[in-house]
Amino acid sequence: MSTDLSEAIRSADENLGVVVDNEQNYIWNRARKSIVMHLDVEISDADASGTPVENCVSAMLKNEGVEVEVGGLLDQGQTIQEIMESLLSGRKVLHIMGCSLTQILYYVGCGTPVMAVADAGQVVLVTGFDAVNVWIYDPGTAQT
């Protein structure tokens, strides 16, 4: 048991386990499909000229069918977590900082792009993978 999701994922990965919530719903599972086509990334028109963070959040929301001006919400003082939770009611919004690329691919395999911070501090979206490749969307260049 852990209250730190990232720690629970790392432990489950090391011990070939799974992570479940208090209702026994899967939160993370080590097993994943060997081939996943990449997810298409679309950014809301309102955030097209926004920061990389705004573009990543916009793309994650649009993937869930929600189109909103993320930049305006951030300017109002809302955090990314608050924005995601308020607009994706009924969905779990997870903060998994400290997990490896291999560990976050579970969520990509479930059809959810994952916002990540690369080693150089660059914000990107992990949008797909197959047996030998990982697709990364760079909001700075708007390319995968």
Side-chain angles (χ1 to χ4, degrees):
M1 289 182 60
S2 176
T3 56
D4 182 330
L5 178 58
S6 299
E7 177 184 310
I9 290 171
R10 288 189 300 272
S11 178
D13 190 31
E14 291 170 9
N15 296 294
L16 306 177
V18 299
V19 178
V20 295
D21 64 12
N22 60 347
E23 296 175 352
Q24 300 302 306
N25 297 310
Y26 281 99
I27 298 296
W28 185 87
N29 186 342
R30 192 168 198 263
R32 63 187 149 272
K33 300 173 188 170
S34 61
I35 296 179
V36 172
M37 297 306 292
H38 74 277
L39 304 167
D40 290 327
V41 175
E42 293 183 44
I43 296 168
S44 167
D45 291 339
D47 290 307
S49 62
T51 68
V53 169
E54 292 167 359
N55 289 343
C56 286
V57 174
S58 179
M60 289 188 299
L61 288 169
K62 196 158 185 179
N63 184 66
E64 297 297 326
V66 177
E67 194 163 348
V68 65
E69 184 184 354
V70 174
L73 298 174
L74 289 170
D75 289 344
Q76 292 174 9
Q78 292 187 45
T79 66
I80 294 169
Q81 186 88 17
E82 291 168 341
I83 292 168
M84 300 290 284
E85 286 175 348
S86 68
L87 296 173
L88 299 175
S89 59
R91 298 288 309 265
K92 289 187 187 286
V93 178
L94 306 174
H95 183 92
I96 54 174
M97 187 170 169
C99 291
S100 70
L101 176 61
T102 304
Q103 292 164 344
I104 67 170
L105 291 179
Y106 167 76
Y107 299 103
V108 178
C110 292
T112 302
V114 175
M115 187 167 75
V117 179
D119 289 337
Q122 177 185 17
V123 178
V124 297
L125 277 182
V126 182
T127 60
F129 66 93
D130 64 18
V132 294
N133 300 295
V134 175
W135 284 270
I136 306 287
Y137 174 77
D138 179 354
T141 63
Q143 294 184 13
T144 301

